[in-house]
Amino acid sequence: MNRRYSLQALLGLVLMPFGVRRGTAADKSGPALVKSRSEWAKLLPADAYRVLFEEATERPGSSALNHEKRAGTFVCAACFQPLFDSATKFESGTGWPSFWQPLQAAVATKTDYLLVVPRTEYHCSRCGGHQGHVFDDGPKPTGLRYCNNGVALQFVARGEPLPELRT
């Protein structure tokens, strides 16, 4: 274990009881659409709200989007910003919808210390809604696996109109 990794793990131990997460440089701009927690809670089903704005995780295998094979676009369930093209979806065997690449500028990342070991969390760049975590065990060409909570997404089949962005 190198010194930097040891310091990050120690920081995670210190911050974990307080639920504190430090953002990375990629996360400095903040979301473009800001609503209060109560506003989001009124707009979203309870399970989606918990995942998107309380950073909960849905049970593996519980999302119908795991089996979605049609061509289309996956959008943020909170603000409706397009996040992933279906061409980048793959079966990861994890029980959550997985993608090897988001749409350009659709997601932002931060370091999550909740489980002590640092992980890269990603969220919608527009509303800040938590989507999941990104890992380096995905397929080519990126080698990345964006492991997404299904309740944080909505699927729009190709040929159907995308929903208007929430304001």
Side-chain angles (χ1 to χ4, degrees), residues 63-77 80-90 97-99 101-103 106-107 131 148-150 152-158 162-163:
S63 174
L65 294 181
N66 288 339
H67 308 291
E68 183 58 66
K69 306 282 191 230
R70 296 175 292 168
T73 304
F74 292 85
V75 302
C76 175
F80 307 136
Q81 172 173 257
L83 300 178
F84 297 97
D85 185 280
S86 63
T88 65
K89 186 175 186 287
F90 70 100
S98 297
F99 305 87
Q101 178 177 295
L103 295 171
V107 302
Q131 297 292 322
N148 218 101
N149 288 282
L153 295 171
Q154 288 184 12
F155 177 73
V156 180
R158 189 147 296 129
L162 291 172

Side-chain angles (χ1 to χ4, degrees), residues 133-156:
H133 291 85
V134 62
F135 302 95
D136 62 1
D137 60 358
K140 292 181 180 181
T142 64
L144 299 175
R145 172 173 52 96
Y146 288 81
C147 189
N148 218 101
N149 288 282
V151 297
L153 295 171
Q154 288 184 12
F155 177 73
V156 180

Side-chain angles (χ1 to χ4, degrees), residues 33-45 49 52-53 76-80 126-129 166-167:
L33 175 64
V34 178
K35 290 187 178 294
S36 70
R37 296 280 173 120
S38 62
E39 288 176 293
W40 283 122
K42 288 176 188 171
L43 290 170
L44 300 168
Y49 172 80
L52 286 157
F53 296 103
C76 175
C79 72
F80 307 136
R126 184 166 183 269
C127 70
R166 275 203 170 118
T167 56

Side-chain angles (χ1 to χ4, degrees), residues 104-116:
Q104 187 171 356
V107 302
T109 63
K110 67 179 180 179
T111 303
D112 173 348
Y113 293 95
L114 189 61
L115 297 178
V116 180

